[in-house]
Amino acid sequence: MPVEEFVAGWISGALGLVLGHPFDTVKVRLQTQSTYRGIIDCMVKTYRHESILGFFKGMSFPIASIAVVNSVLFGVYSNALLALTATSHHERRLQPPSYTHVFIAGCTGGFLQAYCLAPFDLIKVRLQNQTEPRARQGGPPPRYRGPVHCAASIFQEEGPRGLFRGAWALTLRDTPTLGIYFVSYEWLCRQATPGGQNPSSTTVLVAGGFAGITSWVTATPLDVIKSRMQMAGLEQREYQGLLDCMLRVPPPPVGMRLHRRCPQLPRWDGPPPTCPGRRPSGKHGGEISMRESQPSCPGTSRPGRCRWGWEVVRSRPRPRPDSFVNSYLKPWCWRHPGHPVTLPSTCQAANSPLDSRAVPSAASHPISFPTSSP
Ligand SMILES: CN(C)C(=N)NCCC[C@H](N)C(=O)O
């Protein structure tokens, strides 16, 4: 590939990224956090708490890597097509390849680019999920200080394989869907272009756009799984694999919404749990996920897999941020939200993506709860 094509691909890819990244951030947050009621709510909250910069978190690594990732994709696609059809790029105008060959070449390109993309995508997703404002005086610093610190922390805490967390889901997402992308693109170009001619710029633009839509519609279910698996290492929530992640019931939404939906849930109006050093509530109140060693959930056949959560629900008028005043805690069972909850006397905190540093490290700081519900 000539240098000019590489640079042109880099610049156009980077431009596309800058325009699309804010939407990507909203998408990633909605896929992995249960704090938001929808797209608009996520946009408003992100803007209010983090300003416009919140939408651009995690963008630098994708910009730096887009040229390499795209040249792997398009380079492998082109070479695979050459191997399958024995026709060069120029000859293909007169002898168009079959859609089967286009699909196989696209899948091959998608498969290999997914492996190059995996570590960059993981870092992007982790940074996009940091909801702390960048410059907040007195507030706790975010978990990761930037992409390099994020990569180094993952490497240290989760090992080199940690950098490829979610890579299988990403590969399964991109292999068939990039095949679909190239087939849709070819089909649209051929419909709009007389035989033997090159497609016009408008055709390329429109066909690229529609091929992108088609491929993303099919890619989205696995994209959700991929993002959740990528966040799992941070949340200390382990999935047993892709299927486990697909079948796991997502945590219910926090705050008033859940209570409105499940008013039969027992409410905790007692004093907040105590944790050495810090109040276990973040700036917005919200959810504190707790794990017990022996959770007891009536009607659960596999009690070990049942997770308990504690929800801080704010009553009106809104209390000061970081305050438990006028709030109450409500226990809920992630898997069985309708079941009565037996209050544990001691729980261990599991960091939640919403408020990952609200509770200091689980192992070192057990949290004590009062034992009876009022
Ligand atoms: C249709 N599909 C699945 C793709 N186009 N895949 C490649 C996308 C890579 C991009 N940086 C992203 O993950 O958003």
Short mmCIF file of all heavy atoms in Angstrom, two decimals, residues 17 24 27 66 113 117 121 124 170 173-174 177-178 181 212 215-216 219, ligand 1:
data_model
loop_
_atom_site.label_atom_id
_atom_site.label_comp_id
_atom_site.label_asym_id
_atom_site.label_seq_id
_atom_site.Cartn_x
_atom_site.Cartn_y
_atom_site.Cartn_z
N LEU A 17 -13.73 9.11 13.15
CA LEU A 17 -13.72 8.77 14.58
C LEU A 17 -14.12 9.96 15.44
O LEU A 17 -14.92 9.83 16.36
CB LEU A 17 -12.32 8.34 14.99
CG LEU A 17 -12.07 6.85 15.10
CD1 LEU A 17 -10.62 6.57 15.35
CD2 LEU A 17 -12.92 6.30 16.23
N ASP A 24 -20.47 7.02 20.15
CA ASP A 24 -19.92 5.75 20.60
C ASP A 24 -19.85 5.71 22.13
O ASP A 24 -20.15 4.69 22.74
CB ASP A 24 -18.53 5.57 19.98
CG ASP A 24 -17.98 4.18 20.21
OD1 ASP A 24 -18.54 3.23 19.64
OD2 ASP A 24 -17.01 4.04 20.98
N LYS A 27 -23.24 5.06 23.44
CA LYS A 27 -23.57 3.65 23.18
C LYS A 27 -22.90 2.74 24.21
O LYS A 27 -23.55 1.90 24.84
CB LYS A 27 -23.09 3.28 21.76
CG LYS A 27 -23.36 1.85 21.39
CD LYS A 27 -22.41 1.38 20.29
CE LYS A 27 -21.05 1.09 20.84
NZ LYS A 27 -20.11 0.45 19.94
N ILE A 66 -6.12 3.71 14.23
CA ILE A 66 -7.08 3.49 13.13
C ILE A 66 -6.39 3.14 11.81
O ILE A 66 -6.87 2.28 11.06
CB ILE A 66 -8.04 4.72 12.97
CG1 ILE A 66 -9.15 4.45 11.94
CG2 ILE A 66 -7.31 5.96 12.54
CD1 ILE A 66 -10.31 3.72 12.47
N GLN A 113 -8.45 -8.12 11.63
CA GLN A 113 -8.45 -6.77 12.20
C GLN A 113 -8.97 -6.79 13.63
O GLN A 113 -8.54 -5.99 14.46
CB GLN A 113 -9.20 -5.77 11.32
CG GLN A 113 -10.71 -5.86 11.31
CD GLN A 113 -11.40 -4.96 12.31
OE1 GLN A 113 -11.03 -3.79 12.47
NE2 GLN A 113 -12.40 -5.48 13.00
N LEU A 117 -7.43 -4.90 16.80
CA LEU A 117 -8.25 -3.87 17.45
C LEU A 117 -8.47 -4.14 18.93
O LEU A 117 -8.62 -3.20 19.73
CB LEU A 117 -9.60 -3.84 16.71
CG LEU A 117 -10.70 -2.89 17.18
CD1 LEU A 117 -10.26 -1.45 16.95
CD2 LEU A 117 -12.01 -3.15 16.45
N ASP A 121 -9.47 -1.35 21.70
CA ASP A 121 -10.90 -1.24 21.97
C ASP A 121 -11.19 -1.40 23.46
O ASP A 121 -12.03 -0.70 24.02
CB ASP A 121 -11.64 -2.31 21.16
CG ASP A 121 -13.13 -2.07 21.14
OD1 ASP A 121 -13.54 -1.05 20.55
OD2 ASP A 121 -13.88 -2.86 21.74
N LYS A 124 -10.27 1.80 25.16
CA LYS A 124 -11.29 2.81 24.82
C LYS A 124 -12.54 2.62 25.69
O LYS A 124 -13.02 3.57 26.31
CB LYS A 124 -11.65 2.68 23.34
CG LYS A 124 -12.76 3.58 22.88
CD LYS A 124 -13.27 3.19 21.50
CE LYS A 124 -14.17 2.00 21.55
NZ LYS A 124 -15.57 2.15 21.49
N LEU A 170 -15.33 -9.80 20.28
CA LEU A 170 -15.05 -8.82 19.23
C LEU A 170 -14.83 -9.53 17.89
O LEU A 170 -15.30 -9.09 16.84
CB LEU A 170 -13.79 -8.02 19.62
CG LEU A 170 -13.34 -6.93 18.67
CD1 LEU A 170 -14.37 -5.83 18.57
CD2 LEU A 170 -12.02 -6.33 19.12
N ARG A 173 -18.00 -10.71 16.59
CA ARG A 173 -18.78 -9.56 16.11
C ARG A 173 -18.32 -9.16 14.71
O ARG A 173 -19.11 -8.95 13.80
CB ARG A 173 -18.60 -8.38 17.08
CG ARG A 173 -19.38 -7.15 16.72
CD ARG A 173 -18.87 -5.91 17.42
NE ARG A 173 -17.69 -5.35 16.79
CZ ARG A 173 -17.08 -4.22 17.16
NH1 ARG A 173 -17.54 -3.55 18.20
NH2 ARG A 173 -16.01 -3.77 16.52
N ASP A 174 -17.00 -9.05 14.54
CA ASP A 174 -16.47 -8.45 13.31
C ASP A 174 -16.31 -9.41 12.14
O ASP A 174 -16.34 -8.98 10.99
CB ASP A 174 -15.12 -7.79 13.61
CG ASP A 174 -15.31 -6.40 14.20
OD1 ASP A 174 -16.47 -6.04 14.48
OD2 ASP A 174 -14.32 -5.68 14.37
N THR A 177 -19.79 -9.79 10.29
CA THR A 177 -20.42 -8.51 9.95
C THR A 177 -19.56 -7.69 8.99
O THR A 177 -20.10 -6.88 8.24
CB THR A 177 -20.72 -7.68 11.22
OG1 THR A 177 -19.53 -7.54 11.98
CG2 THR A 177 -21.78 -8.33 12.07
N LEU A 178 -18.25 -7.90 9.00
CA LEU A 178 -17.47 -7.20 7.97
C LEU A 178 -17.61 -7.90 6.62
O LEU A 178 -17.53 -7.25 5.57
CB LEU A 178 -16.01 -7.03 8.41
CG LEU A 178 -15.91 -5.84 9.39
CD1 LEU A 178 -14.62 -5.87 10.19
CD2 LEU A 178 -16.07 -4.50 8.69
N TYR A 181 -20.62 -6.31 5.51
CA TYR A 181 -20.31 -4.94 5.10
C TYR A 181 -19.83 -4.90 3.64
O TYR A 181 -20.35 -4.14 2.82
CB TYR A 181 -19.21 -4.36 6.03
CG TYR A 181 -18.70 -3.02 5.58
CD1 TYR A 181 -19.37 -1.86 5.94
CD2 TYR A 181 -17.58 -2.92 4.76
CE1 TYR A 181 -18.92 -0.63 5.50
CE2 TYR A 181 -17.12 -1.69 4.32
CZ TYR A 181 -17.80 -0.54 4.69
OH TYR A 181 -17.36 0.67 4.24
N GLY A 212 -22.47 0.31 6.15
CA GLY A 212 -22.16 0.50 7.57
C GLY A 212 -23.39 0.24 8.43
O GLY A 212 -23.32 -0.46 9.44
N SER A 215 -24.22 -3.54 8.44
CA SER A 215 -23.30 -4.36 9.23
C SER A 215 -23.44 -4.05 10.73
O SER A 215 -23.38 -4.95 11.55
CB SER A 215 -21.86 -4.16 8.76
OG SER A 215 -21.53 -2.81 8.81
N TRP A 216 -23.69 -2.81 11.09
CA TRP A 216 -23.81 -2.49 12.52
C TRP A 216 -25.10 -3.03 13.12
O TRP A 216 -25.14 -3.39 14.30
CB TRP A 216 -23.67 -0.99 12.78
CG TRP A 216 -22.21 -0.67 13.00
CD1 TRP A 216 -21.40 0.04 12.16
CD2 TRP A 216 -21.40 -1.08 14.10
NE1 TRP A 216 -20.13 0.08 12.67
CE2 TRP A 216 -20.09 -0.59 13.86
CE3 TRP A 216 -21.62 -1.82 15.25
CZ2 TRP A 216 -19.02 -0.81 14.73
CZ3 TRP A 216 -20.56 -2.05 16.13
CH2 TRP A 216 -19.28 -1.54 15.87
N ALA A 219 -24.21 -6.36 13.94
CA ALA A 219 -23.10 -6.47 14.90
C ALA A 219 -23.51 -6.10 16.33
O ALA A 219 -22.85 -6.49 17.29
CB ALA A 219 -21.95 -5.57 14.46
C1 LIG B 1 -19.46 -3.34 11.16
N1 LIG B 1 -18.42 -3.57 12.09
C2 LIG B 1 -18.60 -4.54 13.11
C3 LIG B 1 -17.26 -2.84 11.99
N2 LIG B 1 -17.22 -1.91 11.21
N3 LIG B 1 -16.24 -3.21 12.74
C4 LIG B 1 -15.03 -2.47 12.82
C5 LIG B 1 -15.27 -1.32 13.71
C6 LIG B 1 -14.12 -0.80 14.40
C7 LIG B 1 -14.48 0.43 15.15
N4 LIG B 1 -13.38 1.19 15.57
C8 LIG B 1 -15.42 0.16 16.35
O1 LIG B 1 -15.30 -0.80 17.10
O2 LIG B 1 -16.30 0.95 16.55
#
